[in-house]
Amino acid sequence: MIRVITAIDDGAHGKPLVREDTHRYVTSRVVRGVDEKMAEQLRNEIEKANRRFGEGIRKGDAAAVGILYTKDALLMPPNFETIRGREGTQKFWEGAIKMGVKDAILKTDELHEKGEMVEEIGNYTLKIHPEGQAPFEDRGKYVVLWKQDEDKEWRLHRDIWNSSLPAKK
């Protein structure tokens, strides 16, 4: 059985409700195959890594972002070929920072256990300020497969996203 965890912000309870199935709402965060305490710990670890990602972008530190990926990561940004490996992901984010990406805010909406990996579905906001141009934001959605590395740290293993903004004409 697979339990799909969907965070629902109803704006009234101060913390999101989580839909476990189509018939009932639960306030616990459950991931298939693990108990609530382990599920909460896993969510906290992934959210912590997402905060470190944003901190690395804000500091302009592509190495701090790159280390969050597995050695054999695949990065699949929009309008680019697939980028392979930790070194490749670091170079991509270094280029993005040089082009004006100033902040990355990542919000986890769903987590699904997939064997030895965890699938995260979320939304992002990128704050971008290219030199000599007006700042702007990109908002969109992403899917990340997380994998524990040899050091038992959860790292981004597969990362793909796309914008929710309309295409420029």
Side-chain angles (χ1 to χ4, degrees), residues 53-66:
F53 189 103
E55 289 167 7
I57 296 291
R58 285 188 294 282
K59 291 178 182 177
D61 186 353
V65 175

Side-chain angles (χ1 to χ4, degrees), residues 49 52-53 62-76 83-91 93 116-118 144-159:
R52 289 175 47 208
F53 189 103
V65 175
I67 198 67
L68 297 172
Y69 287 85
T70 61
K71 293 176 186 173
D72 58 342
L74 293 181
L75 182 69
M76 296 166 276
I83 298 163
R84 297 180 181 277
R86 184 179 287 158
E87 186 176 311
T89 61
Q90 180 176 330
K91 286 180 183 177
W93 289 111
E116 297 296 314
M117 291 189 234
V118 173
V144 170
L145 285 179
W146 292 85
K147 182 178 175 185
Q148 271 189 318
D149 233 344
E150 313 83 49
D151 60 3
K152 300 297 182 200
E153 289 287 323
W154 285 99
R155 299 187 189 279
L156 294 96
H157 186 56
R158 303 291 186 257
D159 186 4

Side-chain angles (χ1 to χ4, degrees), residues 27-75:
T27 56
S28 61
R29 294 176 175 158
V30 180
V31 176
R32 180 179 66 84
V34 297
D35 65 30
E36 289 183 39
K37 184 177 180 181
M38 290 176 64
E40 189 68 26
Q41 180 181 359
L42 175 60
R43 178 177 281 274
N44 289 339
E45 288 179 31
I46 288 173
E47 289 176 345
K48 178 181 174 185
N50 283 340
R51 285 190 302 274
R52 289 175 47 208
F53 189 103
E55 289 167 7
I57 296 291
R58 285 188 294 282
K59 291 178 182 177
D61 186 353
V65 175
I67 198 67
L68 297 172
Y69 287 85
T70 61
K71 293 176 186 173
D72 58 342
L74 293 181
L75 182 69

